[in-house]
């Protein structure tokens, strides 16, 4: 196990420093209203501030009528194609669709059969990491957190690139395709090293099989016996498709575009996406949902009974249970109101396999949470808010059904979303033109400088 670094800063010193920091770093909430500052780049009605244009992805959950926000069924479109149609088309033909989505996001059109075959061959050839990368970069200094390790690996790949700072479209496209292909290899290698270093478990690294789709390759790498069913791989493939992008305004994609606008390299820009997605308010929310469901199932005698689940949800919202935040994770979204199309797809896709594999109770528990949360919210907060399940409510259960460890819930999100990050980086390079530079109003009062010995 790696030796932990012991900080030379004592707790007493740190406490004193924090007290000093607190004196001059709080801003009154009323000041935001006074200066008409849109916190979180949100308008007063909760909608996002319009910060850019994109042709890549559209996220719709409401419409504005006479200045009022009117809820509607959620719609997610990639390059104008409804995600429901994309997923349905792949299910109908019983084919894997993530690579098709990668092509669509990057190049703007659905691929022909020849183009799709060519892309799969390119991704297959790029899955391998540079020589000695696993031994020298991943196995040394093992990380407890796979997202942090993946981000570190992306930054380190800069050193293995003969032309890392060239931001021309051909070079960035090359880097993008390589990163999209390498992410599953990095994730599995980092996870295996963590198992050995921190859990005292056997590490296994399987050879790359180039003929496999991305979803098949992930399951092949994660399972000791390398065995999985076609149904399992197709379910994971659906997860990858629906997580591949979510518009330019989501936190991780916006972070990637912000860094891209500065003219920095691909590795730095994509690492920003990883740092953002790890956060519990973004991609890390799927872990919060998993932990919350465990708590409910352990605390409620029968979590399939709606009345019992409702009583516990009331406790969570009153901060008498849960993590003390008063939040019911997996419910509500910044854009979607009546429904999150990703959650609808996952729920429908996972139902059969969940019941077959003995997770029917977990599935019914999530259904109860989805159905009862708006009712509890209205009773406790006194607000009749239209609220739906978001993708995180069901994604964790899907991964659990597939036997994927919790350590990899958010990394799998990142493996899918890197396609969107790369597409938006390319769009920013071709269409942005200006460094992202919003304004911040200073509320500090002018003060006279005081010499050191007079303070």
């Amino acid at each position: 196990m790696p030796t932990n670094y012991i900080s030379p800063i004592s707790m007493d010193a740190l406490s004193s420093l924090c007290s000093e920091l607190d004196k001059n770093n709080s801003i009154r909430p009323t000041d935001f209203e006074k200066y008409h500052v849109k916190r979180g780049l949100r308008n007063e009605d909760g909608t996002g501030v319009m910060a850019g244009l994109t042709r890549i992805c559209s996220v719709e959950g409401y419409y504005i009528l006479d200045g009022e926000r009117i809820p509607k069924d959620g719609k997610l479109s990639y390059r104008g194609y409804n995600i429901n149609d994309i997923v349905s088309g792949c299910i109908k033909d019983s084919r894997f669709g993530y690579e098709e989505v990668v092509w669509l996001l990057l190049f703007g059109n659905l691929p022909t059969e020849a183009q799709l075959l060519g892309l799969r061959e390119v991704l297959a050839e790029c899955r391998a990491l540079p020589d000695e990368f696993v031994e020298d970069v991943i196995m040394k200094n093992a990380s407890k957190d796979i997202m942090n390790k993946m981000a570190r690996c992306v930054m380190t790949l800069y050193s293995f690139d003969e032309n890392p700072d060239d931001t021309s479209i051909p070079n960035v496209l090359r880097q993008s395709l390589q990163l999209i292909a390498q992410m599953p290899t990095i994730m599995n290698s980092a996870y295996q090293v963590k198992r050995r270093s921190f859990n005292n478990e056997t590490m296994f690294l399987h050879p790359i099989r180039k003929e496999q789709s991305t979803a098949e390759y992930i399951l092949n790498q994660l399972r000791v016996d390398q065995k999985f069913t076609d149904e399992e791989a197709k379910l994971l493939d659906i997860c990858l498709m629906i997580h591949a992008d979510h518009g330019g305004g989501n936190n991780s994609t916006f972070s990637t575009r912000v860094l891209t606008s500065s003219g920095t390299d691909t590795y730095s820009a994509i690492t920003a996406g990883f740092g953002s997605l790890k956060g519990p308010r973004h991609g890390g929310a799927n872990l919060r949902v998993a932990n919350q469901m465990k708590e409910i199932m352990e605390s409620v005698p029968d979590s399939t009974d709606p009345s019992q689940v409702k009583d516990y949800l009331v406790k969570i919202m009153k901060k008498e249970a849960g993590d003390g935040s008063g939040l019911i994770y997996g419910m509500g979204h910044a854009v979607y109101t009546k429904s999150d199309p990703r959650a609808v797809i996952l729920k429908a896709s996972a139902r059969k396999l969940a019941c077959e594999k003995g997770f029917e109770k977990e599935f019914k528990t999530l259904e109860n949470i989805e159905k009862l949360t708006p009712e509890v919210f209205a009773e406790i907060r006194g607000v009749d808010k239209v609220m739906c399940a978001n993708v995180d409510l069901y994604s964790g259960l899907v991964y659990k059904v597939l036997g994927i460890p919790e350590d990899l819930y958010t990394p799998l999100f990142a493996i899918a979303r890197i396609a969107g990050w790369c597409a938006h980086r390319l769009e920013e390079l071709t269409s942005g033109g200006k460094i992202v530079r919003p304004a911040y109003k200073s509320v500090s009062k002018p003060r006279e400088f005081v010499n050191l010995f007079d303070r």
Side-chain angles (χ1 to χ4, degrees):
M1 182 181 294
T3 303
N4 289 329
Y5 172 75
I6 300 176
S7 173
I9 306 174
S10 70
M11 290 305 297
D12 287 342
L14 189 60
S15 177
S16 176
L17 291 171
C18 287
S19 296
E20 194 66 28
L21 185 148
D22 288 342
K23 292 178 184 178
N24 299 298
N25 280 281
S26 63
I27 297 177
R28 295 173 297 182
T30 53
D31 283 346
F32 289 95
E33 299 175 8
K34 176 181 178 181
Y35 296 108
H36 306 289
V37 173
K38 298 180 178 181
R39 302 176 72 179
L41 292 181
R42 301 283 186 90
N43 296 310
E44 292 182 1
D45 61 0
T47 60
V49 172
M50 196 67 68
L53 301 173
T54 182
R55 299 181 66 177
I56 298 169
C57 182
S58 172
V59 181
E60 303 171 37
Y62 57 85
Y63 64 95
I64 305 297
L65 179 63
D66 296 330
E68 184 179 355
R69 180 174 165 173
I70 309 298
K72 71 173 187 177
D73 289 329
K75 181 180 179 182
L76 172 63
S77 301
Y78 293 163
R79 298 285 189 172
Y81 294 99
N82 192 312
I83 187 63
N84 293 299
D85 296 334
I86 295 172
V87 172
S88 296
C90 292
I91 292 175
K92 179 183 176 182
D93 296 339
S94 189
R95 70 175 191 274
F96 292 96
Y98 177 65
E99 292 78 11
E100 190 169 333
V101 165
V102 169
W103 179 283
L104 176 62
L105 292 175
L106 290 177
F107 301 107
N109 288 307
L110 291 171
T112 64
E113 190 173 355
Q115 288 171 334
L116 185 57
L117 178 61
L119 176 64
R120 286 175 174 163
E121 290 176 349
V122 167
L123 295 178
E125 290 296 328
C126 291
R127 279 178 183 154
L129 295 168
D131 292 342
E132 312 305 325
F133 190 92
V134 173
E135 293 85 349
D136 293 343
V137 178
I138 300 180
M139 293 182 69
K140 292 181 180 178
N141 303 315
S143 175
K144 294 179 181 179
D145 189 276
I146 307 304
M147 284 292 285
N148 275 38
K149 190 65 178 180
M150 292 174 76
R152 193 188 315 170
C153 286
V154 171
M155 282 299 294
T156 306
L157 283 170
Y158 175 98
S159 302
F160 290 80
D161 192 328
E162 294 181 354
N163 196 20
D165 290 306
D166 179 3
T167 58
S168 67
I169 297 304
N171 194 56
V172 173
L173 179 58
R174 171 189 64 82
Q175 293 169 332
S176 298
L177 291 170
Q178 288 178 310
L179 286 173
I180 291 169
Q182 290 168 335
M183 282 308 106
T185 308
I186 290 174
M187 179 192 75
N188 180 66
S189 300
Y191 175 63
Q192 297 302 330
V193 171
K194 182 199 171 179
R195 291 176 69 245
R196 185 192 68 171
S197 301
F198 296 100
N199 304 344
N200 197 30
E201 296 175 340
T202 302
M203 181 177 75
F204 53 89
L205 297 170
H206 299 308
I208 294 173
R209 293 181 59 180
K210 295 181 179 180
E211 75 277 10
Q212 292 179 324
S213 69
T214 301
E216 291 174 307
Y217 176 57
I218 291 170
L219 292 179
N220 177 80
Q221 292 290 299
L222 288 178
R223 298 190 175 181
V224 180
D225 59 6
Q226 300 177 268
K227 294 180 180 179
F228 54 86
T229 66
D230 183 67
E231 186 178 18
E232 289 176 319
K234 294 283 175 56
L235 179 56
L236 179 56
D237 182 65
I238 289 173
C239 290
L240 297 177
M241 282 193 282
I242 64 173
H243 281 101
D245 196 36
H246 211 233
N250 74 80
N251 196 273
S252 58
T253 301
F254 188 64
S255 298
T256 302
R257 293 193 75 133
V258 168
L259 267 73
T260 296
S261 75
S262 76
T264 195
D265 65 277
T266 297
Y267 303 99
S268 296
I270 297 303
T271 300
F274 273 93
S276 166
L277 194 70
K278 180 192 174 187
R281 293 182 180 179
H282 194 7
N286 49 29
L287 275 177
R288 296 289 180 99
V289 172
N291 292 332
Q292 176 182 265
M293 185 176 74
K294 282 183 201 172
E295 179 185 337
I296 291 174
M297 293 187 69
E298 291 171 358
S299 305
V300 175
D302 182 8
S303 60
T304 64
D305 179 358
S307 63
Q308 294 184 40
V309 172
K310 181 179 178 180
D311 290 342
Y312 203 79
L313 292 178
V314 169
K315 290 182 179 180
I316 291 176
M317 290 207 69
K318 288 184 175 181
K319 301 183 181 181
E320 298 170 357
D323 61 5
S325 66
L327 299 175
I328 298 176
Y329 296 105
M331 291 298 300
H333 191 269
V335 178
Y336 297 126
T337 51
K338 285 188 173 182
S339 62
D340 179 341
R342 304 167 301 170
V344 173
I345 291 171
L346 269 193
K347 182 178 179 181
S349 301
R351 184 187 297 273
K352 178 174 177 289
L353 198 58
C355 294
E356 288 177 356
K357 287 183 171 284
F359 293 97
E360 187 173 4
K361 184 176 181 180
E362 285 87 343
F363 193 88
K364 287 183 177 179
T365 300
L366 291 179
E367 282 190 311
N368 281 333
I369 294 172
E370 178 182 10
K371 180 180 179 180
L372 297 169
T373 296
E375 182 180 327
V376 172
F377 190 91
E379 291 177 6
I380 302 299
R381 300 284 174 85
V383 179
D384 189 17
K385 181 180 179 181
V386 178
M387 182 187 303
C388 66
N390 61 51
V391 69
D392 295 313
L393 188 67
Y394 288 98
S395 62
L397 178 59
V398 170
Y399 295 147
K400 189 174 182 179
V401 168
L402 294 174
I404 293 170
E406 289 186 1
D407 281 332
L408 302 183
Y409 286 7
T410 309
L412 277 171
F413 194 158
I415 284 176
R417 183 57 60 84
I418 194 172
W421 293 338
C422 289
H424 281 274
R425 171 167 169 76
L426 287 162
E427 186 178 62
E428 185 69 29
L429 288 171
T430 57
S431 306
K434 286 185 177 291
I435 186 171
V436 176
R437 194 359 183 133
Y440 270 64
K441 169 71 177 177
S442 173
V443 291
S444 293
K445 295 180 179 179
R447 294 188 286 179
E448 293 293 329
F449 178 77
V450 179
N451 288 321
L452 177 61
F453 298 108
D454 296 327
R455 295 171 194 168

